[in-house]
Amino acid sequence: MENRVEETLVVENSVEETIAQEISVEEMIAQGSEEELNKLKTWLFKENVRIISASQELEQMQEQFQQEKEQFQHEVKSINRKISMDQDRIKADNAFFEQKMKILQSGFAQLDMDRRRLEKERTKLEAEKEIIQSPSYGVNGRGEVSAFFRGVKNPLALKKRYKDLIKIFHPDNVAGDKEIIQMINREYENLKMDYETGKWA
């Protein structure tokens, strides 16, 4: 850029010198001899060539400057497009991250609810086990029995209670217990036999 400024100054100085020389040229034409006029013609030709050359150089400089200007504008547009694309990508990444956070938060909340529900069920079932495993006398005349079927007064109620107990204490469940299932089965068979033989009729 500094070289271009220096070249422009040189051209301007040359033009000023040319204007000053034109004044002396008019005097030479009016008062000079043929030899002087020939020298003047030679000088004018050289000066004309120099001016044309300087003009061409100036045009080349302007053309180069225009090309560099267009290239700079193109680079600026390219950079702006890249910045815009990066901003869009960052927005999309932030939206995706927020969505994942919401999913994780929802998942953690659901896990916490499930954990609390399981703890509540476990506490309830453990309490039921303690009640069921406590002895109860005089229920069916067989002596000491568990309270699995306490309050059952007919075969239909017996069968319904049995199904409910199996659902609660089945070994596949969280609070399932194989030993309790065996106790339920034995008690159920005993009571069923009592009803069939008429002891509870």
Side-chain angles (χ1 to χ4, degrees):
M1 192 68 181
E2 293 180 358
N3 292 334
R4 289 180 186 169
V5 174
E6 291 176 357
E7 291 175 358
T8 303
L9 292 174
V10 169
V11 172
E12 290 177 353
N13 292 334
S14 299
V15 172
E16 291 176 357
E17 291 175 0
T18 301
I19 293 172
Q21 289 172 353
E22 285 179 354
I23 299 173
S24 60
V25 167
E26 290 178 357
E27 295 177 356
M28 291 178 66
I29 292 174
Q31 303 174 5
S33 62
E34 183 177 353
E35 183 180 354
E36 290 175 342
L37 291 175
N38 288 332
K39 289 181 179 179
L40 179 61
K41 288 179 181 179
T42 301
W43 177 84
L44 288 174
F45 176 77
K46 291 180 179 179
E47 189 65 16
N48 187 44
V49 171
R50 185 185 66 79
I51 291 172
I52 292 173
S53 177
S55 177
Q56 290 176 347
E57 289 179 359
L58 181 61
E59 289 178 357
Q60 289 177 356
M61 289 171 62
Q62 290 175 342
E63 183 178 355
Q64 184 177 0
F65 174 76
Q66 184 64 27
Q67 290 177 352
E68 291 178 354
K69 179 181 177 181
E70 291 175 356
Q71 183 179 358
F72 176 75
Q73 290 174 343
H74 176 73
E75 290 176 354
V76 169
K77 289 180 180 179
S78 178
I79 291 171
N80 288 336
R81 282 196 301 269
K82 186 177 183 301
I83 292 173
S84 179
M85 291 175 62
D86 290 342
Q87 289 175 343
D88 292 340
R89 180 180 56 78
I90 291 171
K91 288 180 181 179
D93 290 343
N94 288 337
F96 179 69
F97 176 76
E98 290 177 359
Q99 185 178 8
K100 287 181 68 176
M101 284 298 297
K102 288 180 180 179
I103 293 172
L104 288 174
Q105 290 173 353
S106 176
F108 284 132
Q110 184 64 40
L111 286 173
D112 187 61
M113 289 176 60
D114 292 341
R115 180 183 59 79
R116 293 185 180 185
R117 179 178 55 81
L118 289 174
E119 288 179 356
K120 186 176 180 180
E121 289 181 358
R122 182 181 292 277
T123 303
K124 179 181 177 181
L125 291 173
E126 287 177 353
E128 289 178 356
K129 284 183 184 180
E130 291 179 1
I131 294 172
I132 290 172
Q133 290 173 354
S134 64
S136 176
Y137 294 90
V139 175
N140 57 8
R142 292 180 175 272
E144 185 177 337
V145 293
S146 66
F148 291 123
F149 299 97
R150 182 181 298 169
V152 172
K153 297 180 180 180
N154 56 66
L156 291 177
L158 176 66
K159 188 174 183 179
K160 184 178 183 303
R161 178 70 62 83
Y162 175 73
K163 288 182 178 180
D164 292 339
L165 292 170
I166 291 298
K167 288 180 181 178
I168 294 173
F169 296 103
H170 194 279
D172 292 339
N173 294 337
V174 176
D177 192 311
K178 186 176 180 181
E179 184 178 348
I180 291 179
I181 284 292
Q182 291 175 352
M183 293 171 61
I184 291 171
N185 287 332
R186 286 195 300 268
E187 185 68 17
Y188 174 71
E189 291 297 330
N190 291 334
L191 291 174
K192 182 180 177 184
M193 186 179 297
D194 289 342
Y195 279 112
E196 289 176 352
T197 58
K199 289 185 178 182
W200 285 76

